[in-house]
């Protein structure tokens, strides 16, 4: 087994990383974290699951300097093909499939972000908020301002594809 000092067990909770998941050597994966096939965790991102579970769906991405934490009683779930952008924080929330959480956005305990949504850069989604699918959320506190457009949803998927391709290059050395 290859030593991975960036992966840490906590009280018997050992991260489970699919062999086709990419984790940058500078990222930290702690505790009950599960990474599905093709997902990626980028430089200096932290996934800390020492109280509840964190799961990342297939081909999802957690970008540079992002934090995903699962406090007691609030697992963090990142759906397939979702992107957590640079410096964003997910704290015990559910992010459904094909969502983009913008740069520096914060999504708090018990919030649910519906599939196809876009959380604008710097937005704050308050605890327990439920965002319907295909919503554009802006502001602090975050408010649904309109539905996402088909073009915005295509752009999210293009970013998912690009991150997936790039992660394969990094994995190949």
């Amino acid at each position: 087994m290859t030593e991975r000092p960036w992966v840490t067990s906590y009280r018997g909770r050992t991260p489970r990383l699919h062999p086709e998941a990419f984790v940058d050597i500078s990222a930290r994966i702690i505790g009950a974290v599960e990474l599905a096939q093709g997902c990626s965790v980028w430089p200096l991102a932290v996934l800390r699951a020492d109280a509840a579970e964190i799961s990342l769906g297939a081909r999802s991405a957690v970008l540079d300097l992002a934090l995903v934490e699962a406090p007691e009683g609030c697992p963090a779930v990142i759906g397939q093909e979702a992107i957590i952008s640079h410096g964003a924080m997910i704290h015990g929330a559910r992010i459904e499939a094909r969502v983009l959480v913008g740069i520096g956005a914060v999504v708090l305990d018990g919030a649910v972000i519906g599939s196809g949504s876009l959380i604008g850069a710097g937005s704050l989604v308050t605890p327990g908020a439920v965002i319907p699918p295909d919503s554009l959320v802006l502001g602090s506190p975050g408010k649904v301002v309109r539905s996402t457009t088909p073009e915005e949803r295509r752009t999210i998927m293009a970013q998912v594809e690009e991150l997936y391709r790039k992660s394969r290059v990094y994995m190949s050395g």
Side-chain angles (χ1 to χ4, degrees):
M1 182 169 152
T2 304
E3 184 176 338
R4 300 178 298 185
W6 57 94
V7 176
T8 305
S9 294
Y10 179 81
R11 291 191 170 181
R13 295 172 164 215
T14 300
R16 296 184 313 179
L17 284 58
H18 190 281
E20 292 181 29
F22 164 70
V23 179
D24 184 80
I25 192 169
S26 69
R28 290 301 310 262
I29 308 294
I30 302 166
V33 175
E34 183 171 1
L35 303 183
Q37 181 176 6
C39 66
S40 55
V41 180
W42 295 89
L44 300 173
V46 175
L47 282 68
R48 184 162 64 87
D50 53 13
E53 299 76 28
I54 294 173
S55 64
L56 270 66
R59 294 173 21 115
S60 61
V62 178
L63 301 185
D64 314 54
L65 300 169
L67 168 68
V68 180
E69 184 180 356
E72 189 68 42
C74 286
V77 178
I78 311 299
Q80 69 180 25
E81 300 176 326
I83 300 172
I84 310 304
S85 292
H86 307 82
M89 293 185 205
I90 308 300
H91 195 266
R94 179 179 188 83
I95 310 299
E96 294 186 348
R98 295 171 297 286
V99 166
L100 172 63
V101 176
I103 293 171
V106 177
V107 183
L108 294 174
D109 302 37
V112 177
I113 309 300
S115 64
S117 292
L118 195 161
I119 308 302
S123 294
L124 169 65
V125 178
T126 55
V130 177
I131 305 301
D134 301 325
S135 295
L136 173 62
V137 174
L138 300 175
S140 181
K143 302 279 187 218
V144 175
V145 297
R146 63 172 169 79
S147 294
T148 53
T149 65
E151 179 60 28
E152 288 166 333
R153 292 189 297 276
R154 282 191 295 275
T155 298
I156 292 169
M157 287 310 300
Q159 290 177 359
V160 167
E161 293 296 329
E162 177 60 22
L163 287 164
Y164 178 75
R165 280 192 296 273
K166 194 178 285 188
S167 72
R168 301 306 94 184
V169 172
Y170 276 89
M171 285 182 75
S172 69

